[in-house]
Amino acid sequence: MRKLSIKVELSEKEDALIYYEKTLGENITIQKRATVIYYASKGIKTITGLHRKCGYTRVFIRSTLKGYSEKGINYIYECSRGIKKSALDKIESEVLEEFERNPPASISEAVCRIHEKFGIHLTETPVRNWLRKKGFVTSNQSRYRQKLT
């Protein structure tokens, strides 16, 4: 068995916080991370030992210990599932510049122009949502224009 290279030592205050989150925490991810850190601080030194004690996957245990070593005790509260990035975010300035010069008449036209000029094939819904986030609205002439603020 390979020994952990991450040593977990908690102060009394951190130990009490981890124990509270392990037993009474409302978020399941926080509870799981707290459990892994709690048992690692109590002397279980291997991934396999933590896996047997906690019942969580080795990948989860490894990532939790790595996150703890990099960010400290506050890592257990980072429960972001991530924000999906649009393919259009990479070429945002070019698309916005193009649409400001010559606004598309419809979402399907916007989709076609994005596909032709940038080679990105998307359906209408993601393009519509992305344009709304960037401030484009339909004007009276049935064209998309950027909102004036």
Side-chain angles (χ1 to χ4, degrees), residues 2-71:
R2 194 173 137 214
K3 297 286 181 185
L4 291 177
S5 60
I6 301 165
K7 198 166 194 168
V8 178
E9 294 179 8
L10 301 173
S11 67
E12 286 183 30
K13 184 179 178 182
E14 291 174 337
D15 189 46
L17 176 70
I18 289 289
Y19 185 77
Y20 171 79
E21 291 296 348
K22 175 179 97 64
T23 56
L24 300 173
E26 294 177 14
N27 186 316
I28 197 73
T29 305
I30 293 173
Q31 277 185 338
K32 288 170 68 173
R33 288 177 179 168
T35 302
V36 169
I37 293 170
Y38 178 78
Y39 287 121
S41 71
K42 296 300 176 197
I44 299 177
K45 298 292 183 202
T46 61
I47 301 284
T48 305
L50 288 168
H51 166 70
R52 288 183 183 147
K53 183 71 176 177
C54 302
Y56 308 135
T57 64
R58 290 172 176 85
V59 173
F60 178 79
I61 292 169
R62 241 182 253 112
S63 66
T64 300
L65 293 173
K66 182 179 178 188
Y68 171 77
S69 70
E70 291 172 357
K71 300 175 183 174

Side-chain angles (χ1 to χ4, degrees), residues 82-113:
I83 297 171
K84 289 186 177 180
K85 299 281 183 185
S86 173
L88 297 173
D89 287 339
K90 296 174 186 167
I91 55 167
E92 176 180 352
S93 59
E94 294 92 358
V95 173
L96 292 178
E97 196 174 290
E98 170 70 25
F99 287 175
E100 284 173 12
R101 274 188 273 129
N102 185 13
S106 65
I107 293 295
S108 36
E109 182 185 332
V111 169
C112 289
R113 284 173 48 191

Side-chain angles (χ1 to χ4, degrees), residues 105 107 136-145:
I107 293 295
F136 278 84
V137 294
T138 54
S139 68
N140 293 340
Q141 295 97 17
S142 184
R143 306 277 290 176
Y144 273 83
R145 301 218 187 274

